[in-house]
Amino acid sequence: EEDVRAGTGEPGKYPTGLWAPGDAHHRVFQIENIGSLAAKITRLSAKLEEGDLEFASILDVKIYDGALLDPDGTLLLPEPNLIYEGQLGDFFDTGVELSDPIVLEPFDEDWGAGGLAEFGILVSFPREAGNQYQGDSIKVTFSAYAEQAKNNP
């Protein structure tokens, strides 16, 4: 609780702490269908909540269909499919449409859960960025768009 990297106490908020050029951080974005109908995830996006867009624009982001690293930071094999690669600042504008939407089954009372999707998000700070961004910070919210799967082409 004393370490800022342990979380903010707010659900879904996972700070990374301080960064230096060459650092990278991986987070897993989990989405569960708790509804009564099957749903499909069709789009992922991100929004700059706070901070400098110029700083966000030099950060590299890769988004995978599944976690890329285990909790200890070890690469999971086989590596999940890469669904987006580019600068984080560009992702704010474009997001990504999933060419194959991910269908999540509805919540099942007997099983006690619904369909679950995981996306690995890897953000890296290029080593060649230098120290000009020292003291800069950003706060980013990643989002998924889902819609009813049935009768929705």
Side-chain angles (χ1 to χ4, degrees), residues 41 43 46 50-51 76 103 134:
I41 300 171
R43 181 174 176 71
E50 294 176 16
L76 295 171
V103 176
Q134 193 168 18

Side-chain angles (χ1 to χ4, degrees), residues 40-45 143-147:
K40 61 181 178 179
I41 300 171
T42 60
R43 181 174 176 71
L44 299 174
S45 63
S143 301
Y145 176 80
E147 56 192 37

Side-chain angles (χ1 to χ4, degrees), residues 19-150:
W19 289 51
D23 285 352
H25 292 273
H26 176 260
R27 294 291 186 266
V28 178
F29 181 20
Q30 291 184 326
I31 303 162
E32 182 181 8
N33 182 358
I34 58 171
S36 60
L37 299 172
K40 61 181 178 179
I41 300 171
T42 60
R43 181 174 176 71
L44 299 174
S45 63
K47 177 179 164 187
L48 180 64
E49 297 290 341
E50 294 176 16
D52 185 8
L53 181 59
E54 182 183 341
F55 179 48
S57 295
I58 63 125
L59 298 174
D60 296 317
V61 64
K62 292 181 179 180
I63 300 177
Y64 295 87
D65 181 8
L68 177 66
L69 306 175
D70 71 12
D72 295 325
T74 304
L75 181 65
L76 295 171
L77 296 174
E79 188 173 308
N81 292 330
L82 180 66
I83 57 176
Y84 180 86
E85 181 175 15
Q87 268 59 54
L88 182 58
D90 294 339
F91 190 70
F92 298 149
D93 296 330
T94 62
V96 64
E97 295 286 333
L98 301 180
S99 56
D100 292 318
I102 297 171
V103 176
L104 302 177
E105 294 304 317
F107 186 82
D108 183 314
E109 292 287 335
D110 295 329
W111 186 43
L116 182 70
E118 289 187 335
F119 298 96
I121 301 171
L122 180 67
V123 178
S124 55
F125 188 3
R127 185 174 307 280
E128 62 275 5
N131 290 325
Q132 71 189 53
Y133 299 99
Q134 193 168 18
D136 287 357
S137 65
I138 59 171
K139 181 178 177 182
V140 176
T141 298
F142 287 89
S143 301
Y145 176 80
E147 56 192 37
Q148 178 179 316
K150 186 176 179 181

